[in-house]
Amino acid sequence: KHYSYSIEETMLQDGHTIYKIAFSPKEPYKGYYEGFFLVDKQTLAFLEFQFSYTAFGCEKRSQSLSSLKSLKSLDGSLILKYAAVDNHYFLKYILYSEDFQDAGSGITYQHINEYLTSAINMENTNPIPLDEQDMYSTVFSVKATPVSESTWKDYNVLSSSPVQLAYSDQQAKQILSENNTKMAGSSHKEKLIKFAMRMQSSFYVNTIPVNDQVKITAFSYQPTNQHTFLLSKPVVQPGNQVNMGISFGYNLTNRFNLFMTEEYSINSHKWEAYSLGLSYNIGLKSYGRRIILSPQLSVNSINYGINMGEFGNSGSFMAGNKEIDSDKVRLYIGQKAFGLQPGVMVKKDISRTLKLFLGVDYCWNFNSQRRLYIEESSGFLFRKKANISLNRPEITYSTFQPGKEGELFNSTFFNFKAGIILGR
């Protein structure tokens, strides 16, 4: 928001159409840099960057050199050039130049770093791995990796010696120390933005296939002598349970994502599920519109049940240490379960902040209890919910499946989902 931009379309000698995007600060004391960069119109690849410090940028740069006290930055610029070889773009040229002045002696120094790619081996060319990609794109980067540890260490480069060394080895170590390499002007606001850009949210629909059509043929619940809730007609479990879900995630790294989800039933039967888990990203296609495979594992808590219907209620009764006193109540027979939920998702980029995904989970419930869920269905606010064991003497029910006596739900099942992800 502190910069103004201008875009110019032009054509290079090789026939490529490019965008030249120039930028400069709107106000003298708002921006550190001014310059331009070139973008290939067809591939949207960066071709060249050229930018230099503004007067305000030099002032902030001098402040970052405060440990050296006597040095003052007079000017600084950077040129980056990329070249295409067989439709792959490579870093071709780097030139960094900066002028300093020693305030005590008045001597001016020039520091130059220049690199030129002299040879490129195309035999093992691959897209940038997912774990080396930034979580968000940026024109300027404050991250630096030593050449010996970077993916450029095997490139043949030519480097020119500085015209005159600006620093001794000891001074250079001071400048490159952790306290002095932070970009001037880095604020809590920028840190908050970086944190927010690691957040993700998703919305999805999932379905749980039900192979066996369980029919509840009889049901009676008598919490008091004055209250008896009877099943008026047999109830059949639906062919497929359909739910709506929402998930919130945080990208711990480019690979690992921590997430939590909530799911609620779309149809008339009860489904409330909560999970907390960790996923791992594998880049099936790590460039352009990426395709990512994400195995994941979570722990879950699920309440689900078959809807027995809505019943009129006169007076009040106790259920699960709660007093139920609304005019109408809804009853469900089902289970309360805890378990592990391994799964896998395939995600595809639609834009920088939007993804589509398909996934499947296997719900393995290692602890489940058969429950009767009681919910007030009339009243304005704060409707009470309670659940009690189906093994209590005031509850009787029977189920039927063709050919065998059936349970209400399987303790393990598959869960298929599809939806969108918002975030990078």
Short mmCIF file of all heavy atoms in Angstrom, two decimals, residues 56-88:
data_model
loop_
_atom_site.label_atom_id
_atom_site.label_comp_id
_atom_site.label_asym_id
_atom_site.label_seq_id
_atom_site.Cartn_x
_atom_site.Cartn_y
_atom_site.Cartn_z
N PHE A 56 15.38 7.00 1.86
CA PHE A 56 14.88 6.45 3.12
C PHE A 56 15.44 5.05 3.35
O PHE A 56 15.79 4.67 4.46
CB PHE A 56 13.36 6.43 3.10
CG PHE A 56 12.73 5.90 4.36
CD1 PHE A 56 12.95 6.52 5.57
CD2 PHE A 56 11.91 4.79 4.32
CE1 PHE A 56 12.36 6.05 6.73
CE2 PHE A 56 11.33 4.30 5.48
CZ PHE A 56 11.56 4.93 6.69
N GLY A 57 15.55 4.26 2.27
CA GLY A 57 16.13 2.93 2.38
C GLY A 57 17.58 2.97 2.81
O GLY A 57 18.02 2.14 3.62
N CYS A 58 18.35 3.90 2.26
CA CYS A 58 19.75 4.05 2.67
C CYS A 58 19.84 4.41 4.15
O CYS A 58 20.72 3.93 4.88
CB CYS A 58 20.44 5.11 1.83
SG CYS A 58 20.82 4.60 0.14
N GLU A 59 18.93 5.28 4.60
CA GLU A 59 18.92 5.67 6.01
C GLU A 59 18.66 4.47 6.91
O GLU A 59 19.34 4.28 7.92
CB GLU A 59 17.85 6.75 6.21
CG GLU A 59 17.73 7.24 7.64
CD GLU A 59 16.60 8.26 7.79
OE1 GLU A 59 16.32 8.99 6.81
OE2 GLU A 59 16.00 8.32 8.88
N LYS A 60 17.67 3.63 6.52
CA LYS A 60 17.37 2.45 7.32
C LYS A 60 18.49 1.42 7.24
O LYS A 60 18.79 0.73 8.22
CB LYS A 60 16.05 1.83 6.84
CG LYS A 60 14.82 2.66 7.16
CD LYS A 60 14.66 2.82 8.66
CE LYS A 60 13.40 3.59 9.02
NZ LYS A 60 13.25 3.75 10.49
N ARG A 61 19.11 1.31 6.08
CA ARG A 61 20.25 0.40 5.92
C ARG A 61 21.40 0.84 6.82
O ARG A 61 22.05 0.01 7.47
CB ARG A 61 20.68 0.38 4.46
CG ARG A 61 22.01 -0.32 4.18
CD ARG A 61 21.95 -1.78 4.51
NE ARG A 61 23.15 -2.46 4.04
CZ ARG A 61 23.60 -3.62 4.51
NH1 ARG A 61 22.92 -4.24 5.48
NH2 ARG A 61 24.68 -4.17 4.02
N SER A 62 21.65 2.13 6.91
CA SER A 62 22.70 2.65 7.78
C SER A 62 22.41 2.33 9.24
O SER A 62 23.31 2.01 10.02
CB SER A 62 22.86 4.16 7.59
OG SER A 62 23.25 4.46 6.25
N GLN A 63 21.12 2.41 9.62
CA GLN A 63 20.74 2.07 10.99
C GLN A 63 21.00 0.60 11.29
O GLN A 63 21.36 0.24 12.41
CB GLN A 63 19.27 2.42 11.21
CG GLN A 63 18.96 3.90 11.21
CD GLN A 63 17.47 4.19 11.36
OE1 GLN A 63 16.67 3.29 11.60
NE2 GLN A 63 17.09 5.47 11.21
N SER A 64 20.81 -0.27 10.28
CA SER A 64 21.06 -1.70 10.49
C SER A 64 22.54 -1.99 10.63
O SER A 64 22.93 -3.06 11.09
CB SER A 64 20.48 -2.50 9.32
OG SER A 64 21.25 -2.31 8.14
N LEU A 65 23.40 -1.03 10.24
CA LEU A 65 24.85 -1.18 10.38
C LEU A 65 25.35 -0.49 11.64
O LEU A 65 26.54 -0.20 11.77
CB LEU A 65 25.56 -0.58 9.16
CG LEU A 65 25.24 -1.20 7.80
CD1 LEU A 65 25.88 -0.40 6.68
CD2 LEU A 65 25.69 -2.64 7.75
N SER A 66 24.45 -0.24 12.58
CA SER A 66 24.79 0.55 13.76
C SER A 66 25.89 -0.11 14.59
O SER A 66 26.63 0.58 15.29
CB SER A 66 23.56 0.77 14.63
OG SER A 66 22.99 -0.48 15.01
N SER A 67 26.03 -1.44 14.50
CA SER A 67 27.07 -2.12 15.27
C SER A 67 28.46 -1.73 14.79
O SER A 67 29.44 -1.85 15.52
CB SER A 67 26.89 -3.64 15.19
OG SER A 67 26.99 -4.07 13.85
N LEU A 68 28.53 -1.28 13.52
CA LEU A 68 29.82 -0.84 12.98
C LEU A 68 30.03 0.65 13.18
O LEU A 68 31.11 1.17 12.89
CB LEU A 68 29.90 -1.20 11.49
CG LEU A 68 29.73 -2.69 11.19
CD1 LEU A 68 29.77 -2.94 9.70
CD2 LEU A 68 30.80 -3.51 11.89
N LYS A 69 29.01 1.33 13.60
CA LYS A 69 29.01 2.74 14.02
C LYS A 69 29.47 3.70 12.95
O LYS A 69 28.75 4.62 12.57
CB LYS A 69 29.84 2.89 15.29
CG LYS A 69 29.24 2.16 16.49
CD LYS A 69 30.04 2.39 17.75
CE LYS A 69 29.39 1.65 18.93
NZ LYS A 69 30.16 1.83 20.18
N SER A 70 30.67 3.54 12.42
CA SER A 70 31.22 4.56 11.54
C SER A 70 30.76 4.42 10.10
O SER A 70 30.93 5.35 9.31
CB SER A 70 32.75 4.52 11.59
OG SER A 70 33.23 3.26 11.15
N LEU A 71 30.16 3.28 9.71
CA LEU A 71 29.79 3.07 8.31
C LEU A 71 28.40 3.65 8.01
O LEU A 71 27.47 3.51 8.78
CB LEU A 71 29.79 1.58 7.96
CG LEU A 71 31.15 0.96 7.64
CD1 LEU A 71 30.98 -0.49 7.25
CD2 LEU A 71 31.88 1.71 6.54
N LYS A 72 28.30 4.26 6.82
CA LYS A 72 27.04 4.83 6.36
C LYS A 72 26.80 4.36 4.93
O LYS A 72 27.69 4.40 4.09
CB LYS A 72 27.10 6.35 6.41
CG LYS A 72 25.87 7.05 5.87
CD LYS A 72 26.04 8.56 5.89
CE LYS A 72 24.82 9.26 5.31
NZ LYS A 72 24.99 10.74 5.29
N SER A 73 25.58 3.89 4.65
CA SER A 73 25.23 3.44 3.31
C SER A 73 24.89 4.64 2.43
O SER A 73 24.03 5.45 2.79
CB SER A 73 24.06 2.46 3.35
OG SER A 73 23.70 2.08 2.04
N LEU A 74 25.58 4.74 1.28
CA LEU A 74 25.31 5.83 0.34
C LEU A 74 24.37 5.41 -0.77
O LEU A 74 23.57 6.21 -1.25
CB LEU A 74 26.63 6.31 -0.27
CG LEU A 74 27.68 6.84 0.71
CD1 LEU A 74 28.95 7.24 -0.05
CD2 LEU A 74 27.14 8.01 1.51
N ASP A 75 24.48 4.16 -1.19
CA ASP A 75 23.65 3.68 -2.30
C ASP A 75 23.77 2.16 -2.36
O ASP A 75 24.78 1.59 -1.94
CB ASP A 75 24.13 4.29 -3.63
CG ASP A 75 23.16 3.99 -4.77
OD1 ASP A 75 21.99 3.71 -4.47
OD2 ASP A 75 23.58 4.03 -5.94
N GLY A 76 22.75 1.51 -2.88
CA GLY A 76 22.79 0.06 -3.04
C GLY A 76 21.80 -0.39 -4.09
O GLY A 76 20.72 0.20 -4.22
N SER A 77 22.17 -1.40 -4.87
CA SER A 77 21.28 -1.88 -5.92
C SER A 77 21.50 -3.37 -6.15
O SER A 77 22.55 -3.92 -5.79
CB SER A 77 21.53 -1.12 -7.24
OG SER A 77 22.85 -1.34 -7.70
N LEU A 78 20.50 -4.01 -6.75
CA LEU A 78 20.57 -5.44 -7.05
C LEU A 78 19.95 -5.70 -8.42
O LEU A 78 18.89 -5.16 -8.74
CB LEU A 78 19.81 -6.25 -5.99
CG LEU A 78 19.72 -7.76 -6.21
CD1 LEU A 78 21.11 -8.40 -6.12
CD2 LEU A 78 18.79 -8.41 -5.20
N ILE A 79 20.64 -6.52 -9.21
CA ILE A 79 20.13 -6.95 -10.52
C ILE A 79 20.11 -8.48 -10.53
O ILE A 79 21.11 -9.13 -10.21
CB ILE A 79 21.02 -6.43 -11.67
CG1 ILE A 79 21.04 -4.91 -11.70
CG2 ILE A 79 20.52 -6.97 -13.01
CD1 ILE A 79 21.99 -4.33 -12.74
N LEU A 80 18.96 -9.06 -10.87
CA LEU A 80 18.80 -10.50 -11.04
C LEU A 80 18.26 -10.74 -12.44
O LEU A 80 17.28 -10.11 -12.85
CB LEU A 80 17.82 -11.08 -10.02
CG LEU A 80 18.20 -11.03 -8.54
CD1 LEU A 80 17.01 -11.46 -7.69
CD2 LEU A 80 19.37 -11.94 -8.27
N LYS A 81 18.88 -11.67 -13.17
CA LYS A 81 18.40 -12.00 -14.51
C LYS A 81 18.22 -13.51 -14.63
O LYS A 81 19.06 -14.28 -14.15
CB LYS A 81 19.39 -11.50 -15.58
CG LYS A 81 19.49 -9.99 -15.67
CD LYS A 81 20.38 -9.55 -16.82
CE LYS A 81 20.43 -8.03 -16.92
NZ LYS A 81 21.28 -7.59 -18.06
N TYR A 82 17.11 -13.89 -15.29
CA TYR A 82 16.82 -15.30 -15.53
C TYR A 82 16.76 -15.55 -17.03
O TYR A 82 16.39 -14.67 -17.81
CB TYR A 82 15.48 -15.69 -14.89
CG TYR A 82 15.46 -15.58 -13.39
CD1 TYR A 82 15.23 -14.36 -12.77
CD2 TYR A 82 15.71 -16.69 -12.59
CE1 TYR A 82 15.23 -14.25 -11.39
CE2 TYR A 82 15.69 -16.59 -11.21
CZ TYR A 82 15.45 -15.37 -10.62
OH TYR A 82 15.46 -15.27 -9.25
N ALA A 83 17.13 -16.77 -17.44
CA ALA A 83 17.11 -17.12 -18.86
C ALA A 83 16.43 -18.46 -19.04
O ALA A 83 16.51 -19.35 -18.17
CB ALA A 83 18.53 -17.18 -19.42
N ALA A 84 15.74 -18.63 -20.17
CA ALA A 84 15.03 -19.88 -20.47
C ALA A 84 15.92 -20.79 -21.30
O ALA A 84 16.50 -20.37 -22.30
CB ALA A 84 13.74 -19.59 -21.21
N VAL A 85 16.02 -22.05 -20.88
CA VAL A 85 16.73 -23.08 -21.63
C VAL A 85 15.80 -24.28 -21.74
O VAL A 85 15.44 -24.88 -20.73
CB VAL A 85 18.05 -23.50 -20.95
CG1 VAL A 85 18.75 -24.58 -21.78
CG2 VAL A 85 18.96 -22.30 -20.75
N ASP A 86 15.36 -24.58 -22.97
CA ASP A 86 14.41 -25.69 -23.18
C ASP A 86 13.19 -25.56 -22.29
O ASP A 86 12.76 -26.51 -21.62
CB ASP A 86 15.10 -27.05 -22.93
CG ASP A 86 16.20 -27.34 -23.93
OD1 ASP A 86 16.17 -26.73 -25.01
OD2 ASP A 86 17.08 -28.15 -23.61
N ASN A 87 12.62 -24.36 -22.26
CA ASN A 87 11.39 -24.07 -21.52
C ASN A 87 11.55 -24.19 -20.00
O ASN A 87 10.57 -24.28 -19.28
CB ASN A 87 10.24 -24.98 -21.98
CG ASN A 87 9.84 -24.70 -23.41
OD1 ASN A 87 9.82 -23.53 -23.84
ND2 ASN A 87 9.54 -25.75 -24.16
N HIS A 88 12.79 -24.21 -19.52
CA HIS A 88 13.06 -24.17 -18.09
C HIS A 88 13.82 -22.89 -17.78
O HIS A 88 14.75 -22.54 -18.51
CB HIS A 88 13.88 -25.38 -17.63
CG HIS A 88 13.16 -26.68 -17.74
ND1 HIS A 88 12.93 -27.31 -18.94
CD2 HIS A 88 12.60 -27.48 -16.79
CE1 HIS A 88 12.27 -28.43 -18.74
NE2 HIS A 88 12.04 -28.55 -17.44
#
